[in-house]
Amino acid sequence: MPLQLEIARESWPIAGSFTISRGSKTSADVVVVTLRDGAHVGRGECVPYPRYNETVPQVAEALEAARAAIEAGCTREQVPNLAAPHAAQNALDCALWDLEAKRSGQPTWQLAGLSEPRPLVTAFTLSLDTPEAMAEAAAKSAHRPLLKLKLGRDGDAERLRLIRKAAPKSRLIVDANEGWQPDQLTPLFAVCAEVGVELVEQPLPAGNDDALKGLQRAVTICADESAHDRAGLDALVGKYDAINIKLDKTGGLTEALALARAAQSKGLKVMTGCMLATSLAMAPALLVAQFASVVDLDGPLLLKEDRNPGIRFDGSVMYPAPPDLWG
């Protein structure tokens, strides 16, 4: 069925700033795909990420270049051949899922053959800062059950100890964003175990993580920048214990669901994460999160404001998306 494609670039201010080992940002810059068939509307949102050589203009241009094929009535199976950047594939794939749900009157979880999604606890991210500033932020968020700590600079051991003291009851996970070196692993993993960190994301640079092979550790190590789609899954076995599945890396919900199943079949745990984005990006990710042992979909909580309607958050508990948002 012929479709009408709309491509929108949007910028959503962050509440304050967001800092990781690679730098800081003050807005979430997204691309939204809207598909109309005259009676129904489907939408999908993506975050082009410079770490993967993707930009907002590049993604918008890739979708524009594929306009004729998309408007001719493309299917989800055709998406990987239509738009090269994975972020572009994600927005298009999720818009097609949403459109099919609207056309059929069935929620996406039924269309995907999944169980009805349940509310989940998401991590709440503390931006990288000085040890003292991160401890202060942890104290303000100590009521939250799961905190994610952005690390990857000198002083991480001190950060961990001060944060644990400031938030003694919260579960802790860590994201080093490729910021550690092989000779730091053993001492930093020891501090992680000391303060009760449950999981560490991407301690070493992707492509330079062989030091993880056979390394004894008391904490789960999760691939993020090293994990994209099923094609690279075998290379992670033996280095990592888990993978972080993000739809902007997989190229959409279709591949993300397949990756989650494939990872579990190889004995890898699943974490579901996100880029900084609105509830429109979190909605399909919540379906993948039903497979996950750790959920990190707090993007809307870090923005000054979210879409209306958006996903309902009760503290750190997030609820399935309302149908008029997505799916």
Side-chain angles (χ1 to χ4, degrees), residues 52-186:
Y52 306 126
N53 300 312
E54 295 182 351
T55 66
V56 168
Q58 177 203 37
V59 165
E61 289 166 9
L63 289 164
E64 186 62 47
R67 176 180 292 276
I70 294 169
E71 293 189 335
C74 73
T75 65
R76 289 196 302 274
E77 290 72 24
Q78 296 171 319
V79 167
N81 298 321
L82 293 179
H86 277 195
Q89 294 174 20
N90 177 31
L92 179 56
D93 181 74
C94 290
L96 287 167
W97 275 104
D98 189 29
L99 183 63
E100 183 178 348
K102 300 299 192 293
R103 284 172 168 172
S104 67
Q106 291 183 277
T108 48
W109 60 267
Q110 285 187 348
L111 295 174
L114 303 174
S115 299
E116 184 172 4
R118 64 193 188 281
L120 298 170
V121 172
T122 179
F124 182 78
T125 303
L126 302 186
S127 199
L128 179 59
D129 209 327
T130 65
E132 294 77 15
M134 290 191 73
E136 182 179 350
K140 293 178 181 178
S141 299
H143 61 287
R144 294 188 180 274
L146 179 60
L147 297 179
K148 175 174 174 174
L149 319 177
K150 289 289 188 178
L151 302 181
R153 291 184 184 166
D154 290 344
D156 281 346
E158 184 181 5
R159 288 182 179 89
L160 286 164
R161 292 185 174 112
L162 289 180
I163 289 167
R164 171 49 79 203
K165 185 177 180 180
K169 295 182 180 179
S170 299
R171 296 167 55 212
L172 300 180
I173 59 176
V174 160
D175 187 358
N177 281 116
E178 306 178 278
W180 292 350
Q181 298 300 319
D183 62 356
Q184 295 178 291
L185 294 181
T186 297

Side-chain angles (χ1 to χ4, degrees), residues 190-201:
V191 178
C192 286
E194 172 192 324
V195 303
V197 168
E198 298 179 10
L199 175 146
V200 175
E201 285 183 71

